[in-house]
Amino acid sequence: MTTSEHLNVTAEINGVNVTESVETRATLAQFLREQLGLTGTKLSCEMQVCGVCSVLVDGEPVSACTYLAADVDGRRVETVEGLANPGGLHPLQQSFVDNFALQCGFCTPGFLMMATALLRRNPDPSEEDVKEYLDGNICRCTGYEPIVHAVLDAARTMRGAT
Amino acid sequence: MPLPAFTLHRPRSAADAIALLDEDCLAYSGGTELLMAMRMGLIRPTALVDLKRIDELNTITLGADRLLIGAGASHDRVAGDALVAEHAALLATAERLVGNARVRAQGSIGGNICFAEPRSDVATVLVALDATVLLQSASSRRSVPATEFFLGPYWTAREPGELLTAISIPLPAPAGVYLKFQTVERPTVAVAAVALPEGGYRIVVGAVGDLPVSADYAQLTAVDAADLAARVEPVSDLTGSERYKRHVTEVFVRRAVAALAGGR
Ligand SMILES: Cc1cc2nc3c(=O)[nH]c(=O)nc-3n(C[C@H](O)[C@H](O)[C@H](O)COP(=O)(O)OP(=O)(O)OC[C@H]3O[C@@H](n4cnc5c(N)ncnc54)[C@H](O)[C@@H]3O)c2cc1C
Ligand code: FES
Ligand code: FES
């Protein structure tokens, strides 16, 4: 029950089981980026406001900048690296490309993960639903319209509609 | 910025958690407040107790005359719970509007009120619903009305050795409207306007001052929005001056009363 500076964390990360000794005080973002080399998850505000660090833990979105790595022990983590498959981009990723929903791309992993969480709980969101769910994510480049359209388009594709 | 070092405990029962808590050993659920405060050096615990692995803190149950919400329940969980929707719809409404989607998934209702950040949707609604909070230490259990739990910004009646186990809402809970004005992460002004089950009305103005301000009225027409706006003590900050916030308070009280009168 008690541990001091380090503890063993066993988690399923993008479908792969990983056991690592992590520093108790390590954030999930540090663990993913520095220990596992999964640098798709970004860091910026470190205040749970910008969303570039968004990842899913047991399907729920969290701010990896302000979440302990220790807390994913025994849980399932999804990051942007897990979205695409060998066959190609995930429909959300393809839709971001098609809709020009990124410029520098720094915010994109966070938007993709939040959109993933949204479409799982609501496969047919309204424009309002998308705006509401993504309002904890900031993009400094493109403006938000293409991002919202990309998510709505991807939702249509994923529902199998034309 | 890295977090300062600490020891981590992961008990599986509330009793085991309580045995660990003291001034230097703090409970956490989402860590949305605590980890940020630790990173800024504002709080320096030597040990943390993870509450997320304690199932009994994550239950929402219906008693004979009250709804019990486990302290560890996330905002999302409370917002989407069928019992909460049926018996305390106002709380569900407010919980749906908290922060952003990550804060709602990660942050707990108990962490929100134990941290006692004044700009809280939860505190405003709990005062409107006459909620009490259940505190348990190694030697005692007590139930504290929300109005007596919140003592000031970041200050509650909870003792360091006490765990908040649940929030208790007496039933039937008042129904009404919840309106807030929010331009950044946290609300600038929050107003709950409810019809009390025993008759009469209650208006609670939260988030804008150090503590929620609550007033009961026999009739809705007796609500004096200007008087309530004069009674809150807003803090000037980036979201507005004191004068501006009083103005917004008055407008939102009037809107909430109109909405309640209109049966919404
Ligand atoms: C970006 C952002 C936006 C936000 N917006 C809003 C908003 O719009 N409205 C709003 O109301 N709130 C808002 N919040 C606050 C949010 O609701 C709280 O941060 C969250 O609910 C706290 O829960 P937690 O489980 O993360 O708390 P933690 O950080 O885990 O704990 C907070 C404090 O409470 C103590 N604690 C926690 N649980 C217990 C317990 N069971 N018993 C005893 N002590 C305990 C901890 O020791 C700590 O001191 C926002 C927060 C952020 C970061
Ligand atoms: S880095 Fe986590 S929300 Fe900005
Ligand atoms: S594309 Fe540059 S921040 Fe969003």
Side-chain angles (χ1 to χ4, degrees), chain A residues 1-5 7-8 24-25 27 30 46-51 53-54 60-63 65-68 70-75 114 121 132-133 135-137, chain B residues 1-12 16 20 28-33 35-36 39-40 48 50 52-53 76 96-97 99-106 185:
Chain A
M1 187 172 93
T2 308
T3 48
S4 57
E5 297 292 315
L7 82 169
N8 276 337
T24 306
R25 63 174 173 168
T27 63
Q30 281 172 310
E46 297 189 61
M47 290 179 69
Q48 304 163 80
V49 170
C50 75
C53 65
S54 305
E60 297 286 345
V62 306
S63 306
C65 66
T66 311
Y67 193 87
L68 292 183
D71 287 353
V72 305
D73 191 23
R75 307 194 193 279
M114 293 306 290
R121 57 164 67 195
E132 201 284 319
Y133 203 77
D135 82 355
N137 289 62
Chain B
M1 268 270 282
L3 287 165
F6 53 85
T7 301
L8 183 63
H9 301 282
R10 301 196 293 194
R12 300 308 294 250
D16 287 348
L20 292 160
Y28 78 104
S29 281
T32 58
E33 300 286 20
L35 296 179
M36 280 216 294
R39 188 152 49 208
M40 290 189 276
L48 298 189
D50 179 16
K52 288 187 294 301
R53 294 167 199 266
D76 253 355
R96 262 195 296 280
L97 302 171
N100 59 45
R102 292 181 305 282
V103 170
R104 289 194 295 273
Q106 202 180 320
E185 281 69 42

Side-chain angles (χ1 to χ4, degrees), chain B residues 7 11 70 72 81 84 102 126 136 138 156 159 200 204 206 232 251 254:
Chain B
T7 301
D81 186 83
V84 177
R102 292 181 305 282
L126 293 188
Q136 197 175 329
T156 70
E159 299 291 338
V204 183
V232 297
V251 171
R254 268 198 263 115

